[in-house]
Amino acid sequence: MPIAFWRDEYITGETIIDEQHQYLFSIINKLHDAMIEGKGQQILGEILNKLASYTVEHFETEEQIMKQYEYPDFVCHKEKHDQLKDAVFTLKKQWENKEQFLTVKVSQFMTEWLIHHIKGEDLKVMNYIRDNRHKYQKIN
Ligand SMILES: [Fe+2]
């Protein structure tokens, strides 16, 4: 049973970003399903590895798009990306150190990210791009 449902309000209009965001939803749901079955701990390492590589790839994509469209709040948005990257790195370290109750922490972290970053910051970027797209060449 999934916990994170994709909704129209999350659509940014940039296909690659939407696909990457949906991938984040799938990781959240995978961990949630495993937790319900009492197997959260077992797949936590796999989830954190996926999350770490996703974070790097996804933020690079978003930052490239922001630069291409000269997004005025780029520095602030990139800072938030860097904080999220640090948080994922910290969670990975905690997993390596076998910290307790980490499964719930990772699940909460990803849900927070989804709610605050995607629905807040990313939509601001995409609204800006939508309003200014005509000034710039379309990204391939
Ligand atoms: Fe972002």
Side-chain angles (χ1 to χ4, degrees):
M1 195 209 316
I3 189 175
F5 294 93
W6 183 257
R7 296 196 188 115
D8 284 353
E9 65 186 286
Y10 304 131
I11 295 172
T12 64
E14 287 291 326
T15 310
I16 187 161
I17 300 290
D18 291 337
E19 282 171 0
Q20 289 176 347
H21 283 166
Q22 283 175 34
Y23 179 68
L24 179 64
F25 275 64
S26 77
I27 308 178
I28 292 172
N29 287 328
K30 190 173 180 179
L31 179 60
H32 182 253
D33 286 350
M35 284 165 77
I36 285 176
E37 291 171 25
K39 293 176 181 163
Q41 188 69 26
Q42 280 175 40
I43 66 155
L44 192 58
E46 180 197 327
I47 294 287
L48 283 168
N49 283 332
K50 279 186 176 174
L51 193 58
S53 50
Y54 166 84
T55 307
V56 172
E57 186 194 336
H58 174 58
F59 290 163
E60 270 176 14
T61 307
E62 266 190 20
E63 285 162 18
Q64 196 200 337
I65 289 175
M66 283 192 285
K67 274 189 202 160
Q68 193 145 350
Y69 287 100
E70 297 174 308
Y71 181 59
D73 220 7
F74 174 82
V75 175
C76 183
H77 196 120
K78 191 183 180 311
E79 256 172 39
K80 286 173 181 148
H81 282 176
D82 291 344
Q83 284 164 10
L84 285 166
K85 262 193 259 185
D86 285 349
V88 172
F89 182 75
T90 303
L91 288 167
K92 262 194 100 176
K93 272 231 127 100
Q94 289 170 340
W95 178 73
E96 282 156 17
N97 293 332
K98 302 187 186 339
E99 198 170 297
Q100 280 192 313
F101 311 118
L102 198 57
T103 312
V104 174
K105 219 168 145 182
V106 171
S107 173
Q108 283 171 346
F109 167 75
M110 286 195 288
T111 309
E112 276 284 305
W113 174 352
L114 187 155
I115 292 169
H116 290 117
H117 193 78
I118 295 180
K119 283 180 73 178
E121 297 305 317
D122 290 346
L123 281 182
K124 272 193 233 166
V125 176
M126 299 309 152
N127 286 338
Y128 171 83
I129 291 173
R130 199 170 301 130
D131 293 345
N132 294 277
R133 184 171 267 139
H134 60 283
K135 296 181 198 163
Y136 301 91
Q137 209 180 352
K138 178 80 180 78
I139 295 166
N140 294 322

